[in-house]
Amino acid sequence: MRMSAENRNRRGKYKNYSEYEKEHLVRVEMQTAASAGLPAYHIRPKSGLLNDPNGFSYYNGLWRLFYQAFPFGAVHGAKSWAAVVSRDLVRWEYRGLALLPDTEFDSHGVFSGSALTIGDEFLLFYTGNARSDDGARRSCQVCAAMDKTGKFVKRFPPFISAPPAGYTAHFRDPQAFSHGGEYRMLLGAQNETLQGKILVYKSKDARNWKLSGELDFSERFMGYMIECPNLVFVDGRPILIFCPQGLAQSVAPYPNIHPNMVLVGDAYDDETNTILSDGTLRNFDDGFEFYAAQAMTAPDGRVLAVGWVGLPDTDTPTEKENWAHCLSLIRELTLKEGRLFSYPVKETETLRKERRDISVGGNGIWPVRTMGAEANRCELELRIPEGVSGSVLSAADENGENALTVSFDSLSGEVCADRSAVTGWREQRGDTVRKSKVSAGRDMVLNIFIDRSVFEIFINKGEKSITGRFFPQNGNGNIFITAKAPDPGAKIKGSFWGMEASVKF
Ligand code: FRU
């Protein structure tokens, strides 16, 4: 397959990276670094656009994580993989671009994928996205191995050169994992009748992969395409995480343009590629922006996940500053009484600075009047007794206005995030409220992580979560907590911590 001159001299957002002037990259990096909305303990792009987390793994003493990157501007251009590494899952260091869209197989994007460690080999599996001269999409699956110098060497020909018969070129996002002494791979796919599917490939050596069939996990129509499938096992139970596009709201309600769904199965039959379950799908996160979560089993047995705090086909106000989106905190997935919990890994607590105690009684107000960085880069923990309701206003001005409002009611079990009053947010079709619900009439614990333009709210230590972006006015650094309790003696107790900036470039 030869690339024509026309295709080689790709234009616009599909230009070769080498064609961009150095000054252009320096300029967008400086613009990004100067943005008031930059998160400091969430992984964000050095410049340009970040989307899916990729290759989440542990190898040679380091946690490894990559993300879909287009460094030259906040648009979905030809993607590469940017690398970050960590010793503790919370302090990350940027290591530059690891895989570039520089071959005929991936000229229009090194798309999403995963990592696998086999002995002392560290392998990445990704989708090569290319366009033919007539503009038609071509998808193949490629492996890249880390060499002794830490560089990744792509292995050609691709280990899967094209979609199998009966499927379109929407065929991507390999998740490779070891299973029963062999290797399995899930791939997001679309069949020729435009139905979203997940394909299962099997291999004994992680080099030669054979199509085994479709993953059988639901009788229902899963939309026109499934992206980013992941299968992990928590306490032996299969957990399927995937992004169906075009899913009917009657199958599972979701508030965003595309959902990131989870299915908690009872058992996995590897012979027939079947997940046995009651079929109930739920949103991985109930927030505004959360997509393409990637999960993996860590060497210490924990199942860890990370998501893109962004969505396809949406925009953000930081585009004018030439950067967009970030990743979520790293979460641990656990099952409690059959329900999936997702909560930031315990290492996240090491980012906490000095603790300030919170106590709000009766119909009280507890304002943390910390201006500037600390109130906008913090964690709040609130223990809310049964029957108490109230709200947290975050990034508020001195009057408690223009804030992100998180209201809670332990009687109904409802938590609501409202970003309609946060100035600076370019309205997305008036879509400014997200709700989540846990069991009613119980004590409730809220952990709210604020990092400039991103928030993650966890209810009952991960029973539910609400994640999203917000763009407060620069300098609005007040937090107000109000409580309403039928019993004036009932108090909301809690803690406030400033958080360490933990992502280094
Ligand atoms: C999901 C996704 C993946 C694809 C990648 C391209 O957000 O569309 O399916 O591999 O992004 O950046």
Side-chain angles (χ1 to χ4, degrees):
M1 183 174 30
R2 292 205 60 80
M3 220 195 314
S4 69
E6 187 193 341
N7 216 345
R8 199 171 313 121
N9 299 324
R10 291 171 269 140
R11 286 283 155 253
K13 57 185 190 171
Y14 294 115
K15 270 194 322 201
N16 267 315
Y17 280 21
S18 58
E19 285 178 54
Y20 286 93
E21 300 197 340
K22 251 210 159 100
E23 295 73 44
H24 173 76
L25 192 58
V26 171
R27 203 166 48 244
V28 296
E29 284 178 1
M30 280 170 56
Q31 237 182 324
T32 305
S35 168
L38 272 193
Y41 65 95
H42 284 77
I43 295 165
R44 50 91 177 169
K46 186 168 189 204
S47 65
L49 187 135
L50 165 156
N51 58 304
D52 313 356
N54 293 153
F56 187 22
S57 50
Y58 183 83
Y59 175 70
N60 220 0
L62 289 175
W63 298 99
R64 319 242 168 194
L65 183 53
F66 303 81
Y67 59 82
Q68 286 283 283
F70 182 69
F72 304 105
V75 293
H76 285 274
K79 299 289 170 58
S80 51
W81 281 31
V84 287
V85 297
S86 173
R87 294 199 177 275
D88 61 5
L89 289 169
V90 289
R91 291 171 186 82
W92 293 95
E93 198 183 301
Y94 180 72
R95 286 281 175 90
L97 299 179
L99 293 171
L100 295 177
D102 57 2
T103 74
E104 65 188 284
F105 297 103
D106 52 28
S107 55
H108 292 64
V110 176
F111 273 13
S112 286
S114 54
L116 200 56
T117 300
I118 302 179
D120 53 11
E121 255 194 338
F122 183 56
L123 304 173
L124 304 180
F125 297 86
Y126 72 87
T127 298
N129 180 55
R131 299 267 179 186
S132 304
D133 292 346
D134 61 4
R137 184 192 290 271
R138 287 184 279 120
S139 298
C140 61
Q141 315 306 328
V142 182
C143 178
M146 190 190 248
D147 72 10
K148 288 203 171 64
T149 69
K151 290 212 161 50
F152 290 94
V153 182
K154 298 175 185 173
R155 290 178 177 165
F156 290 117
F159 65 89
I160 301 173
S161 59
Y167 295 87
T168 74
H170 288 285
F171 171 58
R172 56 180 172 263
D173 311 336
Q175 184 221 5
F177 57 100
S178 61
H179 191 76
E182 297 190 354
Y183 300 96
R184 301 288 177 261
M185 180 177 286
L186 299 190
L187 270 150
Q190 177 184 62
N191 70 14
E192 279 176 349
T193 54
L194 306 187
Q195 295 178 320
K197 296 287 175 189
I198 297 174
L199 296 178
V200 183
Y201 283 73
K202 295 185 177 171
S203 172
K204 288 194 187 337
D205 56 7
R207 277 183 180 259
N208 301 291
W209 294 90
K210 232 178 133 235
L211 177 62
S212 176
E214 288 180 359
L215 185 70
D216 180 1
F217 66 97
S218 177
E219 308 272 272
R220 317 286 299 266
F221 174 56
M222 284 294 123
Y224 57 82
M225 170 64 190
I226 292 179
E227 296 189 316
C228 303
N230 279 253
L231 179 60
V232 282
F233 294 85
V234 177
D235 300 340
R237 290 181 65 178
I239 311 290
L240 181 68
I241 302 169
F242 63 111
C243 298
Q245 299 192 319
L247 186 76
Q249 293 280 347
S250 56
V251 174
Y254 56 95
N256 298 333
I257 180 168
H258 303 300
N260 199 160
M261 285 291 171
V262 181
L263 174 73
V264 178
D266 297 314
Y268 176 59
D269 182 346
D270 181 60
E271 279 295 304
T272 57
N273 308 318
T274 305
I275 296 178
L276 300 169
S277 77
D278 68 3
T280 311
L281 300 184
R282 57 160 272 202
N283 290 284
F284 190 110
D285 183 285
D286 291 328
F288 296 94
E289 285 95 12
F290 194 92
Y291 197 74
Q294 183 163 86
M296 63 100 165
T297 305
D300 62 12
R302 286 186 290 180
V303 177
L304 306 178
V306 53
W308 170 30
V309 188
L311 285 174
D313 310 323
T314 56
D315 52 13
T316 82
T318 59
E319 280 162 23
K320 57 182 184 302
E321 297 170 327
N322 269 316
W323 74 279
H325 313 305
C326 65
L327 297 184
S328 73
L329 294 171
I330 309 295
R331 303 178 179 190
E332 182 179 357
L333 303 185
T334 52
L335 281 172
K336 288 184 190 139
E337 292 162 9
R339 276 179 307 164
L340 189 69
F341 279 59
S342 97
Y343 191 73
V345 288
K346 62 179 184 312
E347 289 89 336
T348 313
E349 292 182 4
T350 68
L351 297 180
R352 292 171 173 172
K353 300 205 269 194
E354 201 184 326
R355 191 182 84 216
R356 296 169 64 175
D357 291 330
I358 296 172
S359 177
V360 197
N363 295 313
I365 291 192
W366 184 85
V368 180
R369 292 182 178 276
T370 319
M371 293 301 287
E374 187 135 287
N376 288 332
R377 191 203 295 158
C378 68
E379 180 191 349
L380 278 171
E381 180 170 277
L382 300 180
R383 291 183 297 281
I384 302 149
E386 188 189 332
V388 175
S389 62
S391 64
V392 179
L393 307 179
S394 175
D397 65 20
E398 283 168 24
N399 304 315
E401 313 247 315
N402 297 321
L404 171 75
T405 303
V406 181
S407 45
F408 48 84
D409 182 348
S410 66
L411 197 61
S412 65
E414 214 170 79
V415 176
C416 171
D418 181 343
R419 64 183 184 189
S420 58
V422 188
T423 41
W425 175 247
R426 201 191 301 155
E427 287 297 328
Q428 294 201 329
R429 299 167 294 278
D431 177 23
T432 49
V433 175
R434 288 289 179 276
K435 286 187 175 148
S436 190
K437 203 167 174 347
V438 294
S439 324
R442 291 201 194 158
D443 293 358
M444 183 186 269
V445 189
L446 280 187
N447 288 77
I448 303 177
F449 294 84
I450 304 278
D451 190 6
R452 297 281 172 85
S453 59
V454 53
F455 62 86
E456 295 187 62
I457 302 164
F458 294 90
I459 316 168
N460 294 345
K461 300 282 173 182
E463 185 177 350
K464 291 285 179 69
S465 60
I466 308 178
T467 296
R469 306 297 308 277
F470 75 131
F471 299 92
Q473 244 172 18
N474 207 1
N476 277 353
N478 298 295
I479 293 175
F480 292 82
I481 301 167
T482 60
K484 254 198 236 138
D487 164 9
K491 274 193 165 48
I492 295 178
K493 296 258 186 197
S495 307
F496 169 94
W497 298 271
M499 295 290 264
E500 190 186 306
S502 65
V503 181
K504 297 211 160 39
F505 291 89

